[in-house]
Amino acid sequence: MTPDATPTDASLDRRVAVESIGPGSVGSSMRRGITRVLRLGLAAAVVLLLVGGILLYARGGPGATPRGFGSGLAPALAQGSPSGFLYLGALVLLATPLVRVALSSILFARGRDWAFTVITVVVLAILLLTVVVGSRL
Amino acid sequence: MDPLVVWGSTTPTLVAVVLLLAIAFLAGSVGSLLGLGGGTFIVPALVLLFGFDIHLAVAASLVSVVANSSGAAASYVEDGTTDLRIGMFLETGAAAGGLAGALVAVTILAARSELIVAAFVPIVVLGAVLMLRKRLRDAGEPERPDRLARRLRLEGSYYDARAHRTVEYRAYRTGVGLGLSGLAGFASGLLGIGGGVFTVPALNAFMNVPIRVATSTSMLMLGLTASAGAIIYLLAGDVVLPLAATVVLGMLVGSFVGTRLKPITPPPKLKLAFAAVLFGAAALMALRAAGVLS
């Protein structure tokens, strides 16, 4: 193991890395925002999936399963259906990258980086199209 | 035993859950170390070891790849090795490809599982071959970055913790990179592998982005790519939720290990390992497609 693997050095490297972002890169506020969105989305999804998993074992069956884009989700959750929690956990998980892109376009627009505002809006549009197409299958 | 019965409508055995968690953990660690995402390993494991139909394996894998990506990318974005500009530029192609690949899988190929198993092999081998390309001609970059790369300022720097220096880089061949990202998205939606199999070679071997930045950027991108595909499968009702949840949890823990290993792994080993694990995964699926493994 190299000496630079110690925690103290790693945190120093991390600080240097954030400061060394030169022109052409994005600012540290976007890095912080994206990191936060990813961690929050992940944490919420994992809690929901764990609750669903524990309920699945406790009840011995999946219960009412929501279909499509959240239809039947509220009743399933109200009944404490294991599949309801698993489904919502999956939705939160899959929505996280979408929220991350939305946040990026807001921050690019705020930084007046129009090219990248357009690029991230295009990505967002493709994802929304995916949701629309998927719910019509 | 019918896997749908095991995972779908009755409680799976504890042994099956522990085995799957362990495999997902390994897949998640190797996947986040190499920027591949764990799907490349989880799909063959679910098909070959657990006997799932490839559609269900792909659907569960895509959901877990999103977790793998979010977990790893949070660290990689924070430590400054993810190039957000290059990544988001390439995501336009990857997201469109992800939508197209998943649509083809759930409509045209809905009843043709054997075709998807067979497609896995050449696609993954192609990724490994593309990755090795740079090693053959590592003689630097004589060309200038193209107009689009200059216009979008696709360049950056990162701090190499092993070498204790800041490494600067510029992106070349944005057209090839965008095309390969589209292919990555398509392969991801079709095969449930997340797309790292093409985004890492696109970034590193073609666009000349350092391997460490390429793998980190790929980890961010493939969450979005996999999500585009996974939404289609989830809404189509193809995601076996308890199965997906198990894989998600194993892979997520794996991603924490993979991100810790990456800063201390020498770059040449990253590249060789990338090609080697792809050949391995492809070989297993080839045996299945040829009927040797059932």
Side-chain angles (χ1 to χ4, degrees):
Chain A
M1 177 117 4
T2 45
D4 55 80
T6 60
T8 347
D9 277 4
S11 57
L12 180 74
D13 290 345
R14 197 160 285 184
R15 219 162 44 236
V16 172
V18 171
E19 281 164 9
S20 69
I21 296 162
S25 276
V26 291
S28 55
S29 67
M30 186 171 304
R31 290 188 181 273
R32 267 200 309 275
I34 288 177
T35 305
R36 206 164 290 168
V37 164
L38 293 178
R39 292 214 164 112
L40 273 176
L42 201 51
V46 165
V47 167
L48 288 164
L49 292 177
L50 280 176
V51 168
I54 291 165
L55 281 175
L56 188 65
Y57 265 90
R59 298 199 161 191
T65 309
R67 291 288 299 223
F69 196 58
S71 67
L73 186 58
L77 290 176
Q79 292 165 24
S81 154
S83 292
F85 283 91
L86 293 176
Y87 197 85
L88 183 60
L91 278 181
V92 170
L93 186 65
L94 301 188
T96 306
L98 219 133
V99 175
R100 183 261 292 176
V101 176
L103 173 76
S104 316
S105 40
I106 292 169
L107 291 179
F108 276 126
R110 200 181 282 174
R112 301 184 176 279
D113 190 337
W114 303 122
F116 270 87
T117 308
V118 170
I119 285 172
T120 45
V121 166
V122 167
V123 174
L124 204 56
I126 295 171
L127 290 174
L128 294 176
L129 178 68
T130 305
V131 173
V132 172
V133 170
S135 55
R136 281 168 182 238
L137 281 177
Chain B
M1 198 185 305
D2 182 0
L4 256 186
V5 175
V6 177
W7 293 95
S9 45
T10 61
T11 315
T13 64
L14 193 62
V15 177
V17 172
V18 171
L19 180 65
L20 187 58
L21 277 174
I23 292 172
F25 167 77
L26 277 178
S29 3
V30 177
S32 11
L33 176 67
L34 302 178
L36 271 173
T40 321
F41 315 108
I42 265 312
V43 171
L46 289 176
V47 171
L48 299 173
L49 279 177
F50 292 86
F52 279 99
D53 178 81
I54 188 138
H55 280 103
L56 301 181
V58 165
S61 169
L62 281 174
V63 175
S64 68
V65 166
V66 178
N68 192 199
S69 161
S70 291
S75 300
Y76 292 153
V77 170
E78 195 176 44
D79 75 11
T81 54
T82 303
D83 193 306
L84 292 169
R85 296 173 68 89
I86 297 178
M88 289 186 198
F89 167 68
L90 295 181
E91 272 171 355
T92 51
L99 166 61
L103 274 182
V104 168
V106 302
T107 55
I108 303 168
L109 295 178
R112 306 298 302 276
S113 297
E114 76 286 354
L115 279 184
I116 302 182
V117 174
F120 190 94
V121 181
I123 288 179
V124 170
V125 167
L126 179 62
V129 170
L130 290 179
M131 192 64 198
L132 290 174
R133 173 185 176 272
K134 175 89 177 282
R135 295 191 61 78
L136 301 175
R137 39 172 110 161
D138 216 345
E141 287 296 331
E143 322 157 37
R144 246 155 70 88
D146 52 278
R147 266 189 69 204
L148 194 58
R150 279 179 278 137
R151 168 86 178 78
L152 296 175
R153 288 179 288 133
L154 299 182
E155 58 192 30
S157 63
Y158 77 104
Y159 184 74
D160 186 335
R162 270 186 87 248
H164 296 289
R165 66 195 175 93
T166 298
V167 179
E168 292 184 0
Y169 57 88
R170 306 175 78 177
Y172 296 80
R173 292 185 282 266
T174 47
V176 180
L178 194 60
L180 279 176
S181 298
L183 186 62
F186 190 80
S188 164
L190 191 65
L191 306 176
I193 56 179
V197 57
F198 291 124
T199 45
V200 176
L203 282 158
N204 180 244
F206 288 90
M207 298 180 74
N208 205 37
V209 173
I211 183 75
R212 200 157 289 168
V213 177
T215 49
S216 292
T217 306
S218 171
M219 277 319 281
L220 178 77
M221 288 176 61
L222 56 85
L224 189 116
T225 317
S227 169
I231 290 168
I232 298 282
Y233 286 94
L234 184 72
L235 296 178
D238 278 349
V239 177
V240 180
L241 291 166
L243 171 69
T246 313
V247 182
V248 161
L249 296 178
M251 228 186 248
L252 183 59
V253 179
S255 70
F256 296 138
V257 174
T259 52
R260 298 296 176 285
L261 288 177
K262 203 175 85 159
I264 56 173
T265 309
K269 288 196 179 148
L270 280 178
K271 289 188 194 187
L272 275 183
F274 187 96
V277 298
L278 287 186
F279 281 127
L284 283 177
M285 287 298 263
L287 291 177
R288 167 58 176 261
V292 179
L293 294 174
S294 58

